[in-house]
């Protein structure tokens, strides 16, 4: 399986709507690893790693959230790292 890692900034109505919880809920059964956190400016930052199709399903699931509205995604492919889980973080 080819793994990729993506750094994504989500803009829109993405804070206070269960975005991080939903990301963790969807990512874990898809076998994805990485992290998600709120940013001070109202955006949400994520690094996600795994099968490209699974990452696509994660994003599709986020876009179909009842209260989540993604207006823009800034996506950059970055090097794959070694990690075991997908988690919510508050690190700066």
């Amino acid at each position: 399986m080819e793994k990729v890692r993506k750094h994504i900034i989500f803009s829109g109505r993405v804070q206070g709507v269960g975005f991080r919880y939903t990301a963790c809920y969807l990512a874990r059964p898809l076998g994805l690893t990485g992290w998600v956190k709120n940013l001070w400016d109202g955006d949400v930052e994520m690094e996600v790693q795994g099968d490209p199709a699974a990452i696509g399903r994660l994003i599709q699931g986020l876009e179909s959230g009842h209260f989540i509205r993604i207006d823009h995604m800034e996506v950059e492919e970055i090097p794959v790292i070694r990690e075991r889980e997908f988690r919510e973080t508050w690190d700066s």
Side-chain angles (χ1 to χ4, degrees):
M1 171 183 74
E2 172 199 0
K3 275 190 183 180
V4 298
R5 186 173 187 87
K6 294 184 184 246
H7 177 260
I8 309 170
I9 303 290
F10 296 91
S11 302
R13 191 173 61 217
V14 293
Q15 286 194 20
V17 291
F19 188 100
R20 292 171 297 157
Y21 172 83
T22 303
C24 291
Y25 178 80
L26 294 171
R28 291 172 181 155
L30 290 169
L32 299 172
T33 61
W35 52 264
V36 61
K37 71 177 180 178
N38 285 342
L39 297 177
W40 63 271
D41 62 0
D43 291 345
V44 171
E45 181 179 18
M46 175 188 291
E47 285 191 12
V48 60
Q49 177 171 292
D51 177 67
I55 293 172
R57 287 193 295 278
L58 167 66
I59 293 170
Q60 186 176 36
L62 289 167
E63 289 175 330
S64 65
H66 292 298
F67 302 105
I68 296 167
R69 187 189 74 240
I70 298 170
D71 294 335
H72 179 73
M73 291 187 311
E74 189 178 310
V75 182
E76 175 187 8
E77 194 158 320
I78 58 176
V80 171
I81 65 170
R82 190 176 187 146
E83 67 187 349
R84 294 178 183 223
E85 64 182 356
F86 191 92
R87 68 193 191 289
E88 185 177 350
T89 185
W90 295 268
D91 298 341
S92 45

Coordinates of all heavy atoms in Angstrom, one line a residue:
M1 N 0.8 -1.2 0.0 CA 0.0 0.0 0.0 C 0.9 1.3 0.0 O 1.8 1.4 0.8 CB -0.9 0.0 1.2 CG -1.7 1.3 1.4 SD -2.7 1.3 2.9 CE -1.5 1.5 4.2
E2 N 0.6 2.1 -0.9 CA 1.3 3.4 -1.0 C 0.8 4.3 0.1 O -0.4 4.6 0.2 CB 1.1 4.0 -2.4 CG 1.7 5.4 -2.5 CD 1.1 6.2 -3.7 OE1 0.2 5.6 -4.4 OE2 1.4 7.3 -3.8
K3 N 1.6 4.9 0.9 CA 1.2 5.9 1.9 C 1.6 7.2 1.5 O 2.7 7.4 0.9 CB 1.9 5.6 3.3 CG 1.2 4.6 4.1 CD 1.9 4.6 5.5 CE 1.3 3.5 6.4 NZ 1.9 3.5 7.7
V4 N 0.8 8.2 1.8 CA 1.1 9.6 1.6 C 0.8 10.4 2.8 O 0.0 9.9 3.7 CB 0.3 10.2 0.4 CG1 0.7 9.6 -0.9 CG2 -1.2 10.2 0.6
R5 N 1.3 11.5 3.0 CA 1.0 12.4 4.1 C 0.7 13.8 3.6 O 1.4 14.3 2.7 CB 2.2 12.5 5.1 CG 1.9 13.3 6.4 CD 3.0 13.2 7.4 NE 2.7 13.8 8.6 CZ 2.1 13.1 9.6 NH1 1.8 11.8 9.5 NH2 1.8 13.7 10.8
K6 N -0.4 14.3 4.1 CA -0.9 15.6 3.6 C -1.1 16.6 4.8 O -1.6 16.2 5.9 CB -2.2 15.5 2.9 CG -2.0 14.7 1.6 CD -3.3 14.6 0.8 CE -3.1 13.7 -0.4 NZ -3.2 14.4 -1.6
H7 N -0.6 17.8 4.6 CA -0.9 18.9 5.5 C -2.0 19.7 4.9 O -1.9 20.1 3.8 CB 0.4 19.7 5.7 CG 0.2 20.9 6.6 ND1 0.0 22.1 6.1 CD2 0.2 21.0 7.9 CE1 -0.2 23.0 7.1 NE2 -0.1 22.3 8.3
I8 N -3.1 19.9 5.7 CA -4.3 20.5 5.2 C -4.7 21.6 6.2 O -4.8 21.3 7.4 CB -5.4 19.5 5.0 CG1 -5.0 18.3 4.1 CG2 -6.6 20.2 4.3 CD1 -6.0 17.2 4.0
I9 N -5.0 22.8 5.6 CA -5.7 23.8 6.4 C -7.1 24.0 5.9 O -7.3 24.2 4.7 CB -5.0 25.2 6.2 CG1 -3.5 25.1 6.6 CG2 -5.7 26.3 7.0 CD1 -3.2 24.9 8.1
F10 N -8.1 23.8 6.7 CA -9.5 23.9 6.4 C -10.0 25.2 6.8 O -9.8 25.6 8.0 CB -10.3 22.8 7.1 CG -10.0 21.4 6.7 CD1 -9.0 20.7 7.4 CD2 -10.6 20.8 5.6 CE1 -8.7 19.4 7.0 CE2 -10.3 19.5 5.3 CZ -9.4 18.8 6.0
S11 N -10.7 25.9 5.9 CA -11.4 27.2 6.3 C -12.9 27.1 6.0 O -13.3 26.3 5.2 CB -10.8 28.3 5.4 OG -9.4 28.4 5.5
G12 N -13.6 27.9 6.8 CA -15.1 27.8 6.7 C -15.7 27.8 8.1 O -15.1 28.3 9.0
R13 N -16.8 27.1 8.2 CA -17.4 26.9 9.5 C -16.8 25.5 10.0 O -17.4 24.5 9.8 CB -18.9 26.9 9.4 CG -19.5 26.9 10.8 CD -21.0 27.0 10.8 NE -21.6 25.9 10.1 CZ -22.7 26.0 9.3 NH1 -23.3 27.1 9.1 NH2 -23.1 24.9 8.7
V14 N -15.7 25.6 10.6 CA -14.9 24.4 11.0 C -14.6 24.3 12.4 O -14.0 23.3 12.9 CB -13.7 24.2 10.1 CG1 -14.0 23.9 8.6 CG2 -12.7 25.4 10.2
Q15 N -14.9 25.3 13.2 CA -14.7 25.3 14.7 C -16.0 25.4 15.4 O -16.9 26.1 14.9 CB -13.7 26.4 15.1 CG -12.3 26.2 14.7 CD -11.3 27.1 15.5 OE1 -11.6 27.7 16.5 NE2 -10.1 27.2 14.9
G16 N -16.1 24.7 16.5 CA -17.4 24.7 17.2 C -18.5 23.9 16.6 O -19.7 24.0 17.0
V17 N -18.1 23.0 15.7 CA -19.1 22.2 15.0 C -18.8 20.7 15.0 O -19.4 19.9 14.2 CB -19.3 22.7 13.5 CG1 -20.0 24.0 13.5 CG2 -18.0 22.7 12.7
G18 N -17.9 20.3 15.8 CA -17.5 18.9 15.9 C -16.5 18.4 14.9 O -16.4 17.2 14.6
F19 N -15.8 19.3 14.3 CA -14.9 19.0 13.2 C -13.8 18.0 13.6 O -13.6 17.0 13.0 CB -14.2 20.3 12.6 CG -13.4 20.0 11.3 CD1 -14.0 20.3 10.1 CD2 -12.1 19.5 11.4 CE1 -13.3 20.0 8.9 CE2 -11.4 19.3 10.3 CZ -12.0 19.6 9.0
R20 N -13.1 18.4 14.7 CA -12.0 17.5 15.2 C -12.5 16.2 15.7 O -11.9 15.1 15.4 CB -11.3 18.2 16.4 CG -10.5 19.5 15.9 CD -9.9 20.3 17.0 NE -11.1 20.7 17.8 CZ -11.0 21.1 19.1 NH1 -9.8 21.0 19.8 NH2 -12.0 21.5 19.8
Y21 N -13.6 16.1 16.4 CA -14.2 14.9 16.8 C -14.5 14.0 15.6 O -14.2 12.8 15.5 CB -15.5 15.1 17.7 CG -16.2 13.8 17.9 CD1 -15.8 13.0 19.0 CD2 -17.3 13.4 17.1 CE1 -16.5 11.8 19.3 CE2 -17.9 12.2 17.4 CZ -17.5 11.4 18.4 OH -18.2 10.3 18.7
T22 N -15.2 14.6 14.6 CA -15.6 13.9 13.4 C -14.4 13.4 12.6 O -14.3 12.2 12.2 CB -16.4 14.8 12.5 OG1 -17.6 15.2 13.2 CG2 -16.9 14.0 11.2
A23 N -13.3 14.2 12.6 CA -12.1 13.8 11.9 C -11.5 12.5 12.6 O -11.1 11.6 11.9 CB -11.1 14.9 11.9
C24 N -11.4 12.5 13.9 CA -10.9 11.4 14.6 C -11.8 10.1 14.4 O -11.3 9.0 14.2 CB -10.8 11.7 16.1 SG -9.5 12.9 16.4
Y25 N -13.1 10.4 14.5 CA -14.1 9.3 14.4 C -14.0 8.6 13.0 O -14.1 7.4 12.9 CB -15.5 9.9 14.6 CG -16.6 8.9 14.5 CD1 -16.9 8.0 15.5 CD2 -17.4 8.8 13.3 CE1 -18.0 7.1 15.4 CE2 -18.4 7.9 13.1 CZ -18.7 7.0 14.2 OH -19.7 6.1 14.0
L26 N -13.8 9.4 12.0 CA -13.7 8.9 10.6 C -12.3 8.3 10.3 O -12.2 7.3 9.6 CB -14.0 10.0 9.6 CG -15.5 10.5 9.6 CD1 -15.6 11.7 8.7 CD2 -16.5 9.4 9.2
A27 N -11.3 9.0 10.7 CA -9.9 8.6 10.4 C -9.5 7.2 10.9 O -8.8 6.4 10.3 CB -8.9 9.7 10.8
R28 N -9.8 7.0 12.2 CA -9.3 5.8 12.9 C -9.7 4.5 12.2 O -8.9 3.6 11.9 CB -9.7 5.8 14.3 CG -8.9 6.9 15.1 CD -9.4 7.1 16.5 NE -8.7 8.2 17.1 CZ -9.1 8.9 18.1 NH1 -10.3 8.7 18.6 NH2 -8.4 9.9 18.7
P29 N -11.0 4.3 11.8 CA -11.4 3.0 11.2 C -10.9 2.9 9.7 O -10.8 1.8 9.2 CB -12.9 3.0 11.2 CG -13.4 4.3 11.7 CD -12.2 5.1 12.2
L30 N -10.5 4.1 9.2 CA -9.9 4.0 7.8 C -8.4 3.7 7.9 O -7.8 3.6 6.8 CB -10.1 5.4 7.1 CG -11.5 5.7 6.7 CD1 -11.6 7.2 6.3 CD2 -12.0 4.8 5.6
G31 N -7.8 3.5 9.1 CA -6.4 3.2 9.2 C -5.5 4.4 9.0 O -4.3 4.2 8.7
L32 N -6.0 5.6 9.1 CA -5.2 6.8 8.9 C -4.5 7.2 10.2 O -5.1 6.9 11.3 CB -6.1 7.9 8.4 CG -6.8 7.7 7.1 CD1 -7.8 8.8 6.7 CD2 -5.7 7.5 6.0
T33 N -3.4 7.8 10.1 CA -2.7 8.4 11.3 C -2.5 9.9 11.0 O -2.7 10.4 9.9 CB -1.3 7.7 11.5 OG1 -0.5 8.0 10.3 CG2 -1.5 6.2 11.7
G34 N -2.2 10.6 12.1 CA -1.9 12.0 12.0 C -2.6 12.7 13.2 O -2.8 12.2 14.3
W35 N -2.9 14.0 13.0 CA -3.5 14.8 14.0 C -4.3 15.9 13.4 O -4.2 16.2 12.2 CB -2.4 15.4 14.9 CG -1.3 16.1 14.2 CD1 -0.1 15.6 13.8 CD2 -1.3 17.5 13.7 NE1 0.7 16.5 13.1 CE2 0.0 17.7 13.1 CE3 -2.2 18.5 13.8 CZ2 0.3 18.9 12.5 CZ3 -1.8 19.7 13.2 CH2 -0.6 19.9 12.6
V36 N -5.1 16.5 14.3 CA -6.0 17.7 13.9 C -6.1 18.6 15.1 O -6.1 18.2 16.2 CB -7.4 17.2 13.5 CG1 -8.1 16.4 14.6 CG2 -8.3 18.3 12.9
K37 N -6.1 19.9 14.8 CA -6.2 20.9 15.8 C -6.8 22.2 15.3 O -6.7 22.5 14.1 CB -4.8 21.2 16.4 CG -3.8 22.0 15.5 CD -2.6 22.3 16.3 CE -1.6 23.1 15.4 NZ -0.4 23.4 16.1
N38 N -7.4 23.0 16.2 CA -7.9 24.3 15.9 C -6.8 25.3 15.8 O -5.8 25.2 16.6 CB -8.9 24.8 17.0 CG -10.2 24.1 16.9 OD1 -10.6 23.5 15.9 ND2 -11.0 24.2 18.0
L39 N -6.9 26.3 15.0 CA -6.0 27.4 14.9 C -6.6 28.7 15.5 O -7.9 28.8 15.5 CB -5.6 27.6 13.5 CG -4.8 26.5 12.8 CD1 -4.5 26.8 11.3 CD2 -3.5 26.2 13.5
W40 N -5.8 29.6 15.9 CA -6.3 30.8 16.5 C -7.2 31.7 15.6 O -8.0 32.4 16.1 CB -5.1 31.7 17.0 CG -4.2 32.1 15.9 CD1 -3.2 31.5 15.3 CD2 -4.4 33.3 15.1 NE1 -2.7 32.2 14.3 CE2 -3.4 33.3 14.1 CE3 -5.3 34.4 15.1 CZ2 -3.2 34.3 13.2 CZ3 -5.1 35.4 14.2 CH2 -4.1 35.4 13.3
D41 N -7.0 31.5 14.3 CA -7.8 32.4 13.3 C -9.1 31.8 12.9 O -9.8 32.3 12.0 CB -6.9 32.6 12.1 CG -6.5 31.4 11.3 OD1 -6.9 30.3 11.7 OD2 -5.8 31.6 10.3
G42 N -9.5 30.6 13.5 CA -10.8 30.0 13.1 C -10.7 28.9 12.1 O -11.7 28.2 11.9
D43 N -9.5 28.7 11.6 CA -9.3 27.5 10.7 C -8.9 26.3 11.5 O -8.7 26.3 12.7 CB -8.1 27.8 9.7 CG -8.5 28.9 8.7 OD1 -9.7 29.2 8.5 OD2 -7.5 29.4 8.0
V44 N -8.9 25.1 10.8 CA -8.5 23.9 11.4 C -7.3 23.3 10.6 O -7.3 23.3 9.4 CB -9.6 22.9 11.5 CG1 -9.1 21.5 11.9 CG2 -10.7 23.3 12.4
E45 N -6.3 22.9 11.3 CA -5.1 22.3 10.7 C -5.1 20.8 10.9 O -5.4 20.3 12.0 CB -3.8 23.0 11.3 CG -2.5 22.5 10.7 CD -1.3 23.1 11.3 OE1 -1.4 23.7 12.4 OE2 -0.2 23.1 10.7
M46 N -4.6 20.1 9.9 CA -4.6 18.6 10.0 C -3.3 18.1 9.2 O -3.0 18.7 8.2 CB -5.8 18.0 9.3 CG -5.8 16.5 9.3 SD -7.2 15.9 8.3 CE -8.6 16.2 9.4
E47 N -2.7 17.1 9.8 CA -1.8 16.3 9.0 C -2.4 14.9 9.1 O -2.7 14.4 10.1 CB -0.4 16.3 9.6 CG 0.4 17.6 9.3 CD 1.8 17.5 9.7 OE1 2.4 16.4 10.0 OE2 2.5 18.6 9.7
V48 N -2.5 14.3 7.9 CA -3.1 13.0 7.8 C -2.3 12.1 6.9 O -1.8 12.6 5.9 CB -4.6 13.1 7.3 CG1 -4.7 13.7 5.9 CG2 -5.3 11.7 7.3
Q49 N -2.1 10.9 7.3 CA -1.2 9.9 6.6 C -1.9 8.6 6.3 O -2.6 8.1 7.2 CB 0.0 9.7 7.4 CG 1.0 8.8 6.8 CD 2.3 8.8 7.6 OE1 3.0 9.8 7.6 NE2 2.6 7.8 8.4
G50 N -1.7 8.1 5.2 CA -2.2 6.7 4.9 C -2.5 6.6 3.4 O -2.0 7.3 2.5
D51 N -3.4 5.6 3.1 CA -3.8 5.4 1.7 C -4.5 6.6 1.1 O -5.4 7.1 1.8 CB -4.7 4.1 1.7 CG -5.2 3.8 0.3 OD1 -4.4 3.5 -0.6 OD2 -6.4 4.0 0.1
P52 N -4.1 7.0 -0.1 CA -4.8 8.2 -0.7 C -6.3 8.1 -0.8 O -7.0 9.1 -0.6 CB -4.1 8.4 -2.1 CG -2.8 7.7 -1.9 CD -3.0 6.6 -0.9
A53 N -6.8 6.9 -1.1 CA -8.2 6.7 -1.3 C -8.9 6.9 0.1 O -10.0 7.5 0.2 CB -8.5 5.4 -1.8
A54 N -8.3 6.4 1.2 CA -8.8 6.6 2.5 C -8.8 8.0 2.9 O -9.8 8.5 3.6 CB -8.0 5.7 3.5
I55 N -7.8 8.8 2.6 CA -7.8 10.2 2.9 C -8.9 10.9 2.1 O -9.6 11.8 2.7 CB -6.4 10.8 2.5 CG1 -5.3 10.2 3.5 CG2 -6.4 12.3 2.6 CD1 -3.9 10.6 3.1
G56 N -9.2 10.5 0.9 CA -10.3 11.0 0.2 C -11.6 10.8 0.8 O -12.5 11.6 0.9
R57 N -11.8 9.6 1.4 CA -13.0 9.2 2.1 C -13.2 10.0 3.4 O -14.3 10.4 3.7 CB -13.1 7.7 2.4 CG -13.3 6.9 1.1 CD -13.7 5.5 1.4 NE -12.7 4.7 2.0 CZ -11.7 4.1 1.4 NH1 -11.6 4.2 0.1 NH2 -10.8 3.4 2.0
L58 N -12.0 10.3 4.0 CA -12.1 11.1 5.2 C -12.6 12.5 4.9 O -13.5 13.1 5.5 CB -10.7 11.2 5.9 CG -10.5 12.3 7.0 CD1 -11.4 12.0 8.2 CD2 -9.0 12.4 7.3
I59 N -12.0 13.1 3.9 CA -12.4 14.5 3.5 C -13.9 14.5 3.0 O -14.6 15.4 3.4 CB -11.4 15.0 2.4 CG1 -10.0 15.2 3.1 CG2 -12.0 16.3 1.8 CD1 -8.9 15.5 2.1
Q60 N -14.3 13.5 2.3 CA -15.7 13.4 1.8 C -16.6 13.3 3.0 O -17.7 14.0 3.1 CB -15.8 12.2 0.9 CG -17.2 12.1 0.3 CD -17.2 10.9 -0.7 OE1 -16.6 9.8 -0.4 NE2 -18.0 11.0 -1.8
G61 N -16.2 12.5 4.0 CA -17.0 12.4 5.2 C -17.1 13.8 6.0 O -18.2 14.1 6.5
L62 N -16.0 14.5 6.1 CA -16.0 15.8 6.7 C -16.9 16.8 6.0 O -17.6 17.5 6.6 CB -14.6 16.3 6.8 CG -13.7 15.6 7.8 CD1 -12.2 16.1 7.6 CD2 -14.1 15.9 9.2
E63 N -16.8 16.7 4.6 CA -17.6 17.6 3.8 C -19.1 17.4 3.9 O -19.9 18.3 3.7 CB -17.2 17.6 2.3 CG -15.9 18.2 2.1 CD -15.4 18.0 0.6 OE1 -15.7 17.0 0.0 OE2 -14.6 18.9 0.2
S64 N -19.5 16.2 4.3 CA -20.9 15.8 4.4 C -21.4 16.0 5.8 O -22.6 15.6 6.1 CB -21.2 14.4 3.9 OG -20.5 13.5 4.7
G65 N -20.6 16.5 6.8 CA -21.0 16.7 8.1 C -22.2 17.7 8.2 O -22.2 18.7 7.4
H66 N -23.1 17.5 9.1 CA -24.3 18.3 9.2 C -24.0 19.8 9.5 O -24.6 20.7 8.9 CB -25.2 17.8 10.3 CG -25.8 16.5 9.9 ND1 -26.6 16.3 8.8 CD2 -25.7 15.3 10.5 CE1 -27.0 15.0 8.7 NE2 -26.5 14.4 9.7
F67 N -23.1 20.1 10.4 CA -22.8 21.5 10.8 C -21.5 22.0 10.2 O -21.3 23.2 10.2 CB -22.8 21.5 12.3 CG -24.1 21.1 12.9 CD1 -24.1 19.9 13.6 CD2 -25.2 21.8 12.8 CE1 -25.3 19.4 14.1 CE2 -26.4 21.4 13.4 CZ -26.4 20.2 14.1
I68 N -20.7 21.1 9.7 CA -19.4 21.5 9.1 C -19.6 22.1 7.7 O -20.4 21.6 6.9 CB -18.5 20.3 9.0 CG1 -18.1 19.8 10.4 CG2 -17.2 20.6 8.2 CD1 -17.5 18.4 10.4
R69 N -19.0 23.2 7.4 CA -19.0 23.8 6.1 C -17.5 24.1 5.7 O -16.9 25.1 6.3 CB -19.8 25.0 6.0 CG -20.0 25.5 4.5 CD -20.7 26.9 4.4 NE -19.7 27.9 4.9 CZ -19.9 28.8 5.9 NH1 -21.0 28.7 6.6 NH2 -19.0 29.7 6.2
I70 N -17.0 23.4 4.8 CA -15.6 23.7 4.3 C -15.7 24.6 3.1 O -16.2 24.2 2.1 CB -14.9 22.3 4.0 CG1 -14.8 21.5 5.2 CG2 -13.5 22.6 3.4 CD1 -14.3 20.0 5.0
D71 N -15.1 25.8 3.2 CA -15.1 26.7 2.1 C -13.9 26.6 1.3 O -13.9 26.8 0.1 CB -15.3 28.2 2.6 CG -16.6 28.4 3.3 OD1 -17.6 27.7 2.9 OD2 -16.7 29.3 4.1
H72 N -12.8 26.2 1.9 CA -11.5 26.2 1.2 C -10.6 25.2 2.0 O -10.6 25.1 3.2 CB -10.8 27.6 1.2 CG -9.5 27.6 0.6 ND1 -9.3 27.5 -0.8 CD2 -8.2 27.7 1.1 CE1 -8.0 27.6 -1.1 NE2 -7.4 27.7 0.1
M73 N -9.8 24.5 1.2 CA -8.7 23.6 1.7 C -7.4 23.9 1.1 O -7.3 24.0 -0.2 CB -9.0 22.1 1.4 CG -10.2 21.6 2.2 SD -10.4 19.8 2.0 CE -10.3 19.6 0.2
E74 N -6.4 24.2 1.9 CA -5.0 24.4 1.4 C -4.3 23.1 1.7 O -4.1 22.7 2.8 CB -4.4 25.6 2.2 CG -3.1 26.0 1.7 CD -2.6 27.2 2.5 OE1 -3.4 28.2 2.7 OE2 -1.5 27.2 3.0
V75 N -3.9 22.4 0.6 CA -3.4 21.0 0.7 C -1.9 21.0 0.2 O -1.6 21.5 -0.8 CB -4.2 20.0 0.0 CG1 -3.7 18.6 0.2 CG2 -5.7 20.1 0.3
E76 N -1.1 20.4 1.0 CA 0.3 20.2 0.6 C 0.8 18.8 1.0 O 0.5 18.3 2.1 CB 1.2 21.2 1.4 CG 2.7 21.1 1.2 CD 3.5 22.0 2.1 OE1 2.9 22.6 3.0 OE2 4.7 22.0 1.9
E77 N 1.4 18.1 0.0 CA 1.9 16.8 0.3 C 3.3 16.9 1.0 O 4.1 17.7 0.6 CB 2.1 16.0 -0.9 CG 2.3 14.5 -0.6 CD 1.9 13.6 -1.8 OE1 0.9 13.8 -2.4 OE2 2.6 12.6 -2.0
I78 N 3.5 16.2 2.1 CA 4.7 16.3 2.9 C 5.2 14.9 3.1 O 4.5 13.9 2.9 CB 4.4 17.0 4.2 CG1 3.3 16.3 5.1 CG2 4.1 18.5 4.0 CD1 3.1 17.0 6.4
P79 N 6.5 14.8 3.6 CA 7.1 13.5 3.8 C 6.3 12.6 4.8 O 5.8 13.1 5.8 CB 8.5 13.8 4.3 CG 8.8 15.1 3.8 CD 7.4 15.8 3.9
V80 N 6.2 11.3 4.5 CA 5.6 10.3 5.4 C 6.5 10.2 6.7 O 7.8 10.2 6.5 CB 5.5 9.0 4.7 CG1 5.1 7.9 5.6 CG2 4.5 9.1 3.5
I81 N 5.9 10.1 7.8 CA 6.7 9.8 9.1 C 6.1 8.6 9.7 O 5.2 8.0 9.3 CB 6.6 11.0 10.0 CG1 5.1 11.2 10.5 CG2 7.1 12.3 9.4 CD1 5.0 12.2 11.6
R82 N 6.8 8.2 10.8 CA 6.4 7.0 11.5 C 5.5 7.4 12.7 O 5.9 8.2 13.5 CB 7.6 6.3 12.1 CG 7.4 5.0 12.6 CD 8.7 4.4 13.0 NE 8.5 3.0 13.4 CZ 9.3 2.0 13.2 NH1 10.5 2.2 12.7 NH2 9.0 0.8 13.6
E83 N 4.3 6.9 12.7 CA 3.3 7.2 13.8 C 2.3 6.1 13.8 O 2.2 5.3 12.9 CB 2.7 8.6 13.7 CG 1.8 8.7 12.5 CD 1.3 10.2 12.3 OE1 1.5 11.0 13.2 OE2 0.7 10.4 11.3
R84 N 1.5 6.1 14.9 CA 0.6 4.9 15.2 C -0.9 5.3 15.2 O -1.7 4.4 15.1 CB 0.9 4.3 16.5 CG 2.3 3.6 16.5 CD 2.6 3.1 17.9 NE 3.9 2.5 17.9 CZ 4.2 1.4 18.4 NH1 3.3 0.6 19.0 NH2 5.4 0.9 18.4
E85 N -1.2 6.6 15.4 CA -2.6 6.9 15.6 C -3.0 8.2 15.0 O -2.2 9.0 14.6 CB -2.9 6.9 17.1 CG -2.2 8.0 17.8 CD -2.4 8.1 19.3 OE1 -3.3 7.2 19.8 OE2 -1.8 8.9 20.0
F86 N -4.3 8.4 14.9 CA -4.9 9.8 14.6 C -5.4 10.4 15.8 O -6.2 9.7 16.5 CB -6.0 9.6 13.5 CG -6.3 11.0 12.9 CD1 -5.7 11.4 11.8 CD2 -7.3 11.8 13.5 CE1 -6.0 12.6 11.2 CE2 -7.6 13.0 13.0 CZ -7.0 13.4 11.8
R87 N -5.0 11.6 16.1 CA -5.4 12.2 17.4 C -5.7 13.7 17.3 O -5.3 14.3 16.3 CB -4.3 12.0 18.5 CG -3.1 12.8 18.2 CD -1.9 12.4 19.0 NE -0.8 13.3 18.9 CZ 0.0 13.5 17.8 NH1 -0.3 12.8 16.7 NH2 1.0 14.3 17.8
E88 N -6.5 14.2 18.2 CA -6.7 15.6 18.4 C -5.5 16.1 19.2 O -5.1 15.5 20.2 CB -8.0 15.8 19.1 CG -8.5 17.2 19.2 CD -9.8 17.3 19.9 OE1 -10.5 16.3 20.1 OE2 -10.2 18.5 20.2
T89 N -5.0 17.3 18.8 CA -3.9 17.9 19.6 C -4.1 19.4 19.8 O -4.9 20.0 19.1 CB -2.6 17.6 18.8 OG1 -1.5 18.1 19.6 CG2 -2.5 18.3 17.5
W90 N -3.4 19.9 20.8 CA -3.5 21.3 21.1 C -2.1 21.9 21.0 O -1.9 23.0 21.5 CB -4.1 21.5 22.5 CG -5.5 21.1 22.6 CD1 -6.6 21.9 22.4 CD2 -6.0 19.8 22.9 NE1 -7.7 21.1 22.5 CE2 -7.4 19.8 22.8 CE3 -5.4 18.6 23.1 CZ2 -8.2 18.8 23.0 CZ3 -6.3 17.5 23.4 CH2 -7.6 17.6 23.3
D91 N -1.2 21.1 20.5 CA 0.2 21.6 20.4 C 0.3 22.8 19.5 O -0.5 22.9 18.5 CB 1.1 20.5 19.8 CG 1.2 19.3 20.7 OD1 0.9 19.4 21.9 OD2 1.6 18.2 20.2
S92 N 1.2 23.7 19.7 CA 1.4 24.8 18.9 C 2.5 24.6 17.9 O 3.2 23.6 17.9 CB 1.7 26.1 19.7 OG 2.7 25.8 20.7

